Amino acid sequence: MSIIVNNLSKTYSDQKAVDSISFEVKKGEILGFLGPNGAGKSTTMKMLTCYIPPTSGNATVCGFDITQQSLDVRQKIGYLPENNPLYYDMYVKEFLEFALKVNGQKSMVNSNQAIKNAIDLVGLEVEQHKKIGQLSKGYKQRVGLAQALIHDPEILILDEPTSGLDPNQLADIRHLIKELGKEKTILFSTHIMQEVEAVCDNVVIINKGKIVANDKTSNLQTRLAGEVLIEVEFENMVSETELNKIENIHAIEKISETNFILHGKESTQLRKNIFAFAVSKNNALLTLKQETKSLEDIFQQLTN
Amino acid sequence: MTAILKKEINLFFSSLIAYISMAVFFVVLALNLFIFEGNILDSNYATLDTFFTLVPWILIFLIPAITMRTFADEKQNGTIEFLATKPITDFQIVVGKYLAALILWFLTFLPTLIYFICVKKLSLENAPIDSGATIGSYIGLFFLGAVFVGIGIFSSAITNNQIVAFLVGVFLCYLMYDAFFRLSSLPIFEGRLDYIIQSIGLNAHYDSISRGVVDTRDIIYFLSVISLFLIATRTALESRKWS
C-alpha cells in the first residue's frame, strides 16, 4: 500500500473540515478524489503532504507516518498544491533547478538530466526559456506538474491539476496524468466527473468531510445500472396513462407531447415492450435511445 | 538551505531591491558626511561619529524594507506551501532566508568602508582618525544590522501583507534600538533597574563596541537577540499547524 489513511480528521476551530475518513491507495493506482468545493479534499491533501497536522487519526505514506516521519514522507511525494503557487519572477529552468535542490538533489549532472526529462514529459520545450510569470495558465500548470515530478517521486498528490484550463489543455493534462499513472501512484482531486471517468482506476467521493463512496470507477457506474433511462419519441401524441400500462416502467418524464424519458428496469425487455406498445397503437417509434447514468448523476445523488 | 539562500539572493539582484537599497544607503550617508551642513570637512575633526549616529536611524527603515517580502510574499502567493511540503525543515527555510538578507546587508555595508579610507587619507598626520574605535564601530554596526535583519524577517513571517511587515519591522527595530534606552532614563527607574533596562536595548551595546572595545558580552548579546528572533520566526511559520 502506498497511502493508508486511517480515521483522519481535521477540525478548524468549530468546523469539521475532514471527519474521520479512511481509504487506501495501492501502488501504481490512480485514485480520483472527488467532491464539491469545500468538501475537505484540499485539507486531506495538505495533511498527507505534512503541511498541516491532523486533529486526530493517522496516515502513512510509503510506510512513513505523516506526523512522526514528516521529512521521509515529503521526500517520497511530489505535490501540486491547489491554485498552483509558483515564483513568477523565476525562469522555468531556474525554478525547476530550485525545486530539485530543495528536494535534496545535489549532483549537477543528474539535475540537468532530470530537468530536461521533466520538461520533455510535460511538454514545456517551447516555453522553457521564459519567465514563469510570462506563461499562459496552461503552461504554468505544466510547470507546476514538472515541479511535482522533478525528483521522480513514488507518489504524486495533485490538487485540482486541471482547474481553469481550456478543453485542449485539459485533454493534454489528463493524458499526462494517465501516462504518469503507469509508473507512479497518483492521488488527484477534482470536482469534474468526466475527469474521473477518463483517468482514474478508483474513486473516493467525499462530501462535507465524510467519504460517501469508495469504489472502482467502473463499479460506481454500474451501481445504479439497475435502473435504465430510455428516451423515446413517437410520431403521434401519446398520453402518460397509456405509457404507464407498459410493464417494467416506474416513472415517466414528459418532455413534450411525443417525447418522453422512461425510467425502468431490465433494459432489453423494456425496449421490447415499448416497441410492442408502439406497434399496437399503430404509432411509429422515431427514437428509442438508452442512456446510462453517468458518474455525474451518481455524484449529485451522493452529495446532495 | 543553500538552495533557498541562493534563490533569495537571486531574487534581490534580479529585482531592483538590492540596487536601490545599496544606492539609497550610500548616497544618503555620503550627502550627510561630506556635503550637508555639519559635514566633517567643515568640522575639521577626523572622525566618523556623524556617520555612526546617523546610520542606525536609516537602517531602522532600510532593513525592514529589504526583508518585508521574505515571508509575507510567500504567504500571499501560497508558495510557502510549496516550500513547506519539501523535505526541508521550517528552520532551514528561516535560516536560508536570514543568511540571504544578511549577505545583502553585508554587501550594502561594505562600500561604506570607503568613507573610512577617505577620512583616513584626508586627516593630518599629527591628528589621525582613531582607527581602533572606528573599526569597533564598524563591527558594532554590522551586528546592529544583523539584528535588524532578524527583526525584519520575523515581522515578515507574522503577516501575509508586506506593508504590515514593514511597519511592524520599523516599530520593533525602533523599540529595540532606542525605546529601551529612552525608557531607562525615565525617573521612575532607579538604581540598577535603569541599567538593566538599558542593557536590553541595542543602543547600549552598539555604543559599547563603538568605543573600540569588542567585548564578548556585547557579541553574545547580539547573537542571542538574533537567535531569539530566528526562533520566533520559525514559531510564526509553524503557527499554521496550531488551528
Side-chain angles (χ1 to χ4, degrees):
Chain A
M1 287 295 164
S2 283
I3 303 176
I4 301 170
V5 176
N6 194 2
N7 288 324
L8 205 63
S9 295
K10 180 75 190 176
T11 314
Y12 289 118
S13 52
D14 54 343
Q15 187 200 1
K16 274 205 154 167
V18 173
D19 192 356
S20 166
I21 63 167
S22 305
F23 64 88
E24 290 176 350
V25 191
K26 291 192 198 73
K27 205 168 157 54
E29 181 179 280
I30 306 182
L31 180 81
F33 205 48
L34 194 63
N37 292 326
K41 302 187 297 280
S42 293
T43 307
T44 307
M45 293 187 150
K46 282 179 182 165
M47 287 191 281
L48 286 177
T49 52
C50 313
Y51 184 63
I52 50 173
T55 313
S56 67
N58 58 55
T60 60
V61 174
C62 292
F64 297 113
D65 187 276
I66 55 163
T67 43
Q68 306 298 322
Q69 295 156 303
S70 153
L71 284 177
D72 295 304
V73 170
R74 285 185 261 167
Q75 189 82 57
K76 297 282 179 193
I77 286 178
Y79 175 45
L80 173 68
E82 194 181 13
N83 303 328
N84 188 22
L86 298 168
Y87 297 102
Y88 287 2
D89 290 336
M90 286 173 112
Y91 289 92
V92 173
K93 279 183 159 175
E94 182 191 9
F95 173 65
L96 292 179
E97 194 187 327
F98 173 62
L100 199 58
K101 278 191 185 155
V102 287
N103 274 308
Q105 169 72 259
K106 297 230 162 56
S107 127
M108 265 316 281
V109 187
N110 288 346
S111 68
N112 282 337
Q113 191 57 42
I115 291 168
K116 196 175 170 300
N117 287 348
I119 286 176
D120 287 348
L121 203 57
V122 300
L124 264 173
E125 294 92 343
V126 199
E127 311 279 350
Q128 58 177 311
H129 299 294
K130 285 193 182 168
K131 270 193 176 180
I132 294 174
Q134 298 171 327
L135 300 177
S136 68
K137 186 152 189 182
Y139 278 106
K140 282 186 186 129
Q141 203 73 23
R142 284 166 202 245
V143 175
L145 272 171
Q147 161 274 120
L149 50 87
I150 189 114
H151 57 299
D152 197 22
E154 282 177 40
I155 295 175
L156 282 176
I157 294 185
L158 311 172
D159 199 350
E160 301 198 354
T162 56
S163 71
L165 300 182
D166 74 32
N168 292 337
Q169 296 167 333
L170 234 124
D172 284 353
I173 299 281
R174 280 182 200 163
H175 180 73
L176 178 63
I177 292 174
K178 213 164 177 176
E179 282 298 307
L180 290 169
K182 286 176 184 163
E183 292 165 21
K184 300 183 190 306
T185 308
I186 300 181
L187 172 63
F188 93 97
S189 76
T190 176
H191 52 254
I192 308 166
M193 310 326 122
Q194 296 91 326
E195 203 152 279
V196 172
E197 287 180 288
V199 177
C200 301
D201 310 320
N202 288 292
V203 55
V204 167
I205 301 182
I206 181 173
N207 187 37
K208 292 176 188 146
K210 286 196 165 79
I211 289 183
V212 289
N214 179 0
D215 212 335
K216 280 197 156 51
T217 316
S218 50
N219 282 357
L220 263 190
Q221 277 165 316
T222 51
R223 191 152 129 182
L224 298 189
E227 186 176 86
V228 287
L229 307 180
I230 293 176
E231 193 186 334
V232 291
E233 185 187 359
F234 296 102
E235 190 176 24
N236 302 313
M237 206 180 89
V238 185
S239 76
E240 282 176 65
T241 37
E242 282 178 324
L243 277 173
N244 246 333
K245 287 175 189 157
I246 304 174
E247 247 181 277
N248 294 348
I249 287 185
H250 320 137
I252 297 170
E253 281 176 54
K254 188 174 179 180
I255 295 168
S256 71
E257 294 293 325
T258 56
N259 285 35
F260 300 89
I261 291 175
L262 308 175
H263 296 239
K265 55 185 179 184
E266 290 170 47
S267 168
T268 320
Q269 189 55 45
L270 181 61
R271 279 176 291 164
K272 272 188 191 171
N273 292 349
I274 294 168
F275 183 72
F277 168 82
V279 171
S280 71
K281 297 284 172 192
N282 204 6
N283 192 350
L285 193 56
L286 302 178
T287 309
L288 182 66
K289 193 170 130 202
Q290 183 182 342
E291 290 176 358
T292 48
K293 280 213 164 188
S294 66
L295 268 183
E296 198 133 0
D297 299 309
I298 300 170
F299 176 76
Q300 280 179 349
Q301 202 172 323
L302 288 170
T303 56
N304 273 330
Chain B
M1 197 176 85
T2 46
I4 291 175
L5 194 154
K6 203 179 142 201
K7 179 210 132 208
E8 291 291 311
I9 295 270
N10 280 343
L11 184 76
F12 285 137
F13 285 94
S14 66
S15 63
L16 290 170
I17 301 172
Y19 308 106
I20 292 180
S21 66
M22 283 175 170
V24 166
F25 191 67
F26 200 69
V27 171
V28 170
L29 288 171
L31 286 175
N32 274 284
L33 206 53
F34 298 112
I35 295 167
F36 288 169
E37 212 175 319
N39 66 57
I40 54 165
L41 303 177
D42 293 342
S43 71
N44 288 326
Y45 287 107
T47 161
L48 283 171
D49 283 354
T50 4
F51 169 72
F52 286 113
T53 43
L54 179 67
V55 174
W57 293 99
I58 295 175
L59 290 185
I60 283 176
F61 294 96
L62 189 78
I63 289 185
I66 292 174
T67 56
M68 68 181 184
R69 67 177 292 176
T70 43
F71 282 104
D73 206 32
E74 303 245 16
K75 284 179 153 187
Q76 182 78 49
N77 296 332
T79 44
I80 192 71
E81 194 173 340
F82 165 84
L83 281 183
T85 52
K86 297 287 170 256
I88 42 173
T89 61
D90 286 355
F91 203 58
Q92 283 174 311
I93 300 175
V94 172
V95 174
K97 281 176 178 279
Y98 175 76
L99 290 180
L102 189 67
I103 288 172
L104 181 63
W105 155 233
F106 184 68
L107 293 177
T108 310
F109 157 90
L110 215 53
T112 61
L113 290 174
I114 291 171
Y115 304 146
F116 173 57
I117 296 164
C118 286
V119 175
K120 201 175 159 71
K121 293 269 181 210
L122 287 172
S123 61
L124 298 170
E125 253 172 59
N126 56 358
I129 183 166
D130 182 350
S131 295
T134 312
I135 289 167
S137 294
Y138 270 114
I139 293 172
L141 182 62
F142 175 72
F143 276 108
L144 186 73
V147 172
F148 284 179
V149 170
I151 293 175
I153 296 236
F154 168 73
S155 324
S156 187
I158 56 172
T159 172
N160 54 13
N161 183 319
Q162 293 190 35
I163 308 291
V164 173
F166 173 72
L167 293 174
V168 172
V170 170
F171 172 71
L172 288 179
C173 286
Y174 171 75
L175 193 76
M176 285 302 288
Y177 180 69
D178 200 45
F180 282 110
F181 174 70
R182 295 293 183 86
L183 208 60
S184 69
S185 55
L186 290 180
I188 49 166
F189 300 112
E190 287 169 25
R192 268 185 71 77
L193 200 57
D194 66 347
Y195 173 72
I196 291 168
I197 290 171
Q198 198 179 330
S199 307
I200 298 172
L202 289 162
N203 199 329
H205 301 272
Y206 176 56
D207 285 349
S208 158
I209 289 191
S210 294
R211 278 179 223 121
V213 186
V214 181
D215 190 333
T216 40
R217 280 177 302 181
D218 295 325
I219 303 292
I220 288 170
Y221 166 81
F222 283 124
L223 295 178
S224 315
V225 177
I226 293 168
S227 314
L228 195 74
F229 276 103
L230 291 188
I231 291 166
T233 309
R234 184 185 61 172
T235 311
L237 266 192
E238 280 177 348
S239 66
R240 69 171 188 272
K241 296 180 176 173
W242 295 345
S243 66

